[in-house]
Amino acid sequence: MTRKPLISGNWKMNLNHFEAIQTVQKLHYLLPKDIFEQIDVSIHPPFTDIRSVQTLIDSEDLDLRVGAQHCHWEDSGAFTGEVAPVFLEKLNVEYVVVGHSERREIFGETDEMVNKKVAAIQQHGMTPIVCCGETLAEREAGETETKVLGQIEAALAGRSNEQIAVLVVAYEPIWAIGTGQTATADDAQSVCHAIRERVRDLTDDATADALRVQYGGSVKAGNAAELMGQPDIDGALVGGASLDPDEFARLIQFSVG
Ligand code: PEP
């Protein structure tokens, strides 16, 4: 089964909409046009940038995909400061990150909330990128798989095999995010494999083999090739390195070999 890899740039709370336009233009200019036959690339800017990025991508017919970093699960209501999935759908957003460890740790996002968001995002025709990952203490206590597989089971509860087959899981060890420390390719492969096998147990072979599993945590141009060469790693969720178009373009190119 060949899965088209997905590289996603999570800009977090960085780059205003003017900077976003310049960054996207430069990134697209630096990438060979035929690379998009081999790999999908999504950009996840802050909410205030999305309309500008979407307009640029649509008007210049760029091959990049528009993404978001977060959303609520309801279509409307008294949720001050939140953004509904239906608003993102109207902006041609294709991928929405759900349950990033920063949302879980800083803003109290629970497994139950993640599960509701996955359903809402799919209901609006977009693809959730479901994040999971262990803390350093959990890793050292030998609890990595228990934590990660528990998060994935909770996120996917109630989803059909067809719905699970088209979503994306991002395995992001929390101790590796923004720290410059990366899981070894063997360790990252081992957890991504365990995720796929748990999904196989919950669903069937076709679903598990179709699921795209990203690795995230200090992925750079220098380590992308080794990580992306692992059989169960189908792309990367990239924070810091996605803010610099030169570095991100190199990372994407090294990811396809
Ligand atoms: C992330 O934003 O999810 C991430 C993995 O960040 P970084 O690549 O900077 O570690």
Side-chain angles (χ1 to χ4, degrees), residues 75-76 82-93 124 126:
D75 278 352
S76 64
E82 287 293 324
V83 169
V86 65
F87 303 161
L88 299 177
E89 181 188 7
K90 290 270 181 258
L91 291 170
N92 295 347
V93 166
H124 289 284
M126 300 177 289

Side-chain angles (χ1 to χ4, degrees), residues 10 12 100 172 176-178 216-219 237-240:
N10 174 20
K12 312 192 187 199
H100 191 282
E172 299 207 301
I177 298 177
S218 297
V219 180
L237 182 54
V238 183

